[in-house]
Amino acid sequence: MTHPLGNPPTKIIAVHLNYPSRAKERGRVPSQPSYFLKPPSSLAGTKEAIVRPAGCELLGFEGEIALVIGSRAQRVTPEDGWSYVRWVTAANDAGVYDLRYADRGSNLRSKGADGFTPIGPRLLDARELDPAALRLRTWVNGDLVQDDTTDTLLFPFGQLVADLSRLVTLEPGDVILTGTPAGASVVRPGDLVEVEVTAGELSTGRLRNPVAEGDPLAAYGAMPRTDPAEREAAYGLSYEPEPLLAPELAAGLRSVAVATLSAQLRSRGLPHMSIDGVRPVGPDGAAMVGVAHTLRYLPLREDLFKRYGTGMNAQKRAIEEVRPGHVLVMDARRDATAGTLGDILALRAHRRGAAGVVTDGAVRDSAVVAGLGLPVYAAGAHPSVLGRRHVPWDTGVPIACGGALVQPGDLIVGDADGVVVVPPDLAEELIAACREQERQERFITEQVAAGESVDGLYPLGPAWRDAYENWCKGESQ
């Protein structure tokens, strides 16, 4: 397209998070703005198609307000930053999440494709505008999906210009994409995305861009791929993930006792599948079934704790990575002399849909944690924070918890007796075997209650087989 000022910009700079509504969606509020670059070749105009490469699934739209720099800005102050903006217009910061992994951090291929930065159609004179009184709206196929204002931005526009100009000279014509509000999601070929910026009676008009299907990418570079985390990031609040665990399989595991599972695992040559030393936090020992997501703590090293233990550390990342149906399993080296989970992070895990938490370390705020309704199993309670003993190190890796090897994706089952690890490929076989074992044990219990000796009865021996078979027929009627 022809650039609004007649010449292409030297750069397009995009802000990651700036609207409180979007920060809430993402579950984090940055203390300072962060940015990425988009190439000038990604610019497009209204009515031009946004082309989703064949093989990509997750083409995201993000309605944004674009600032066009009018005069050279170098080391300007926040108070003066807005005066360097000449024009304001609507923009769509499009991108394919399928390629984010390929340039993690830079977003070059995922956000920088030709046509992935439509702007326009009209320019508003910044000198006539109050930067804190703009409204941004986005429609998909005529439905309003984004609607926010600039009066509560995390980083006002003048601050963005000043912050960037500390190190990067902004030239006339450069474009700053100022962030997107809540509601950004995924579009498909055939959809129409419209973005408009208004200031009272003034309007940019609607930036209209249809979505089209493109050609396949040549195979001599990174190819599209997706995973549940990228789908969740792409769809935002409208994301409805597939269950991590099939409902019928979860119900089957919930229907059998952990003690029975342990016995059946042992009979298959797997005697080390129990997570030893952990007990339910709270009196009820609520049943827990889910898919393992892992977090590993290493022993405290004071010189490394500031680097690994503060800010958005591995512990907090693990919580934010939890999906509905996950059981967060923590390897604390069986050291229960410091907390590995407190009430706030337990609440956050609960809100994110965790099926439970297991730690072979200690829990802080145990009374509050017990009342959340989230199954939590721990080696004990302790008032100290994790920094007394632990450094949160990494997530999503094989760990040792209570003497058991736990891999991400293993099935975790808990009840009042404790917790066991179930290999996913054995789950259906184990459920059937456990149900048969528990059926036999009900029969045996009835006989013992009637006064029979356990000799030859427990475990069920040949002499009792016919009686058991007849009992089963009666139970099934």
Side-chain angles (χ1 to χ4, degrees):
M1 68 167 287
T2 301
H3 185 260
L5 297 183
N7 296 310
T10 64
K11 49 195 165 291
I12 303 168
I13 303 171
V15 179
H16 282 111
L17 285 175
N18 201 12
Y19 286 83
S21 60
R22 181 65 162 175
K24 184 177 180 180
E25 277 188 336
R26 291 304 200 211
R28 60 187 177 89
V29 178
S31 59
Q32 299 293 337
S34 61
Y35 313 92
F36 61 93
L37 288 169
K38 300 189 76 170
S41 55
S42 69
L43 282 172
T46 192
K47 299 182 181 180
E48 294 188 53
I50 302 171
V51 179
R52 186 184 76 174
C56 289
E57 171 191 348
L58 304 175
L59 174 62
F61 68 87
E62 295 181 6
E64 305 207 10
I65 296 172
L67 311 181
V68 181
I69 298 298
S71 56
R72 198 167 192 261
Q74 188 176 41
R75 292 186 289 278
V76 305
T77 66
E79 294 75 20
D80 292 336
W82 178 248
S83 68
Y84 289 82
V85 178
R86 182 66 180 88
W87 306 106
V88 170
T89 192
N92 185 348
D93 180 16
V96 283
Y97 285 76
D98 315 65
L99 289 171
R100 283 213 307 178
Y101 79 94
D103 298 302
R104 181 65 69 182
S106 78
N107 292 331
L108 178 60
R109 281 172 282 193
S110 62
K111 289 273 196 176
D114 292 354
F116 273 18
T117 313
I119 66 172
R122 291 193 291 273
L123 301 172
L124 301 181
D125 190 335
R127 295 169 296 183
E128 300 175 4
L129 305 177
D130 177 354
L134 304 180
R135 184 182 183 187
L136 170 67
R137 287 179 291 174
T138 306
W139 296 262
V140 175
N141 301 327
D143 295 327
L144 183 65
V145 293
Q146 291 184 291
D147 188 354
D148 215 329
T149 55
T150 58
D151 54 330
T152 61
L153 290 178
L154 299 174
F155 311 110
F157 295 151
Q159 180 181 344
L160 296 178
V161 173
D163 181 37
L164 288 166
S165 75
R166 293 185 309 155
L167 297 167
V168 178
T169 300
L170 300 175
E171 302 287 355
D174 285 352
V175 175
I176 302 174
L177 304 180
T178 57
T180 197
S185 191
V186 171
V187 286
R188 299 170 179 83
D191 290 341
L192 175 67
V193 184
E194 300 172 281
V195 186
E196 181 183 22
V197 177
T198 55
E201 299 299 318
L202 300 175
S203 171
T204 62
R206 291 198 186 185
L207 171 68
R208 293 183 170 92
N209 296 101
V211 179
E213 184 75 19
D215 296 327
L217 295 174
Y220 39 77
M223 300 303 289
R225 75 183 191 199
T226 61
D227 57 33
E230 292 292 9
R231 288 192 180 91
E232 182 175 5
Y235 279 96
L237 292 180
S238 65
Y239 179 60
E240 296 182 4
E242 295 181 4
L244 288 172
L245 187 60
E248 59 274 14
L249 191 59
L253 290 169
R254 196 170 281 110
S255 72
V256 298
V258 164
T260 312
L261 280 167
S262 180
Q264 289 297 327
L265 286 163
R266 189 172 185 276
S267 73
R268 286 162 175 76
L270 296 170
H272 306 297
M273 305 301 282
S274 62
I275 296 180
D276 294 340
V278 301
R279 302 293 302 160
V281 175
D284 55 354
M288 175 182 68
V289 175
V291 177
H293 178 54
T294 59
L295 166 63
R296 182 167 62 126
Y297 293 101
L298 292 182
L300 176 64
R301 225 181 85 175
E302 289 81 357
D303 62 319
L304 295 178
F305 189 83
K306 184 175 181 180
R307 184 190 310 174
Y308 292 98
T310 59
M312 196 64 184
N313 59 33
Q315 180 199 40
K316 294 176 182 176
R317 292 199 308 273
I319 296 291
E320 293 299 331
E321 290 164 359
V322 163
R323 291 182 54 208
H326 267 146
V327 173
L328 179 57
V329 186
M330 301 180 178
D331 172 7
R333 309 172 320 283
R334 299 188 177 184
D335 185 342
T337 61
T340 56
L341 180 76
D343 58 343
I344 292 175
L345 292 186
L347 175 61
R348 180 61 178 160
H350 190 32
R351 288 280 189 258
R352 287 192 60 79
V357 177
V358 181
T359 174
D360 62 0
V363 168
R364 298 177 69 232
D365 314 304
S366 57
V368 179
V369 171
L372 290 176
L374 173 71
V376 176
Y377 292 75
H382 200 282
S384 174
V385 296
L386 64 88
R388 181 171 184 260
R389 294 291 187 189
H390 308 295
V391 180
W393 201 258
D394 50 11
T395 69
V397 295
I399 61 170
C401 183
L405 170 60
V406 182
Q407 295 192 99
D410 281 339
L411 306 183
I412 307 296
V413 185
D415 63 17
D417 281 345
V419 180
V420 293
V421 183
V422 174
D425 57 344
L426 291 180
E428 292 185 356
E429 174 188 330
L430 285 166
I431 291 167
C434 286
R435 286 174 173 168
E436 172 59 21
Q437 179 182 330
E438 291 182 350
R439 187 182 299 115
Q440 291 184 18
E441 289 177 353
R442 287 198 302 273
F443 169 76
I444 292 167
T445 298
E446 287 186 15
Q447 309 314 309
V448 171
E452 295 289 347
S453 168
V454 295
D455 185 22
L457 174 63
Y458 182 57
L460 192 69
W464 284 94
R465 181 61 62 177
D466 288 344
Y468 170 65
E469 298 293 342
N470 288 330
W471 177 87
C472 288
K473 291 176 184 177
E475 191 180 55
S476 63
Q477 292 177 354

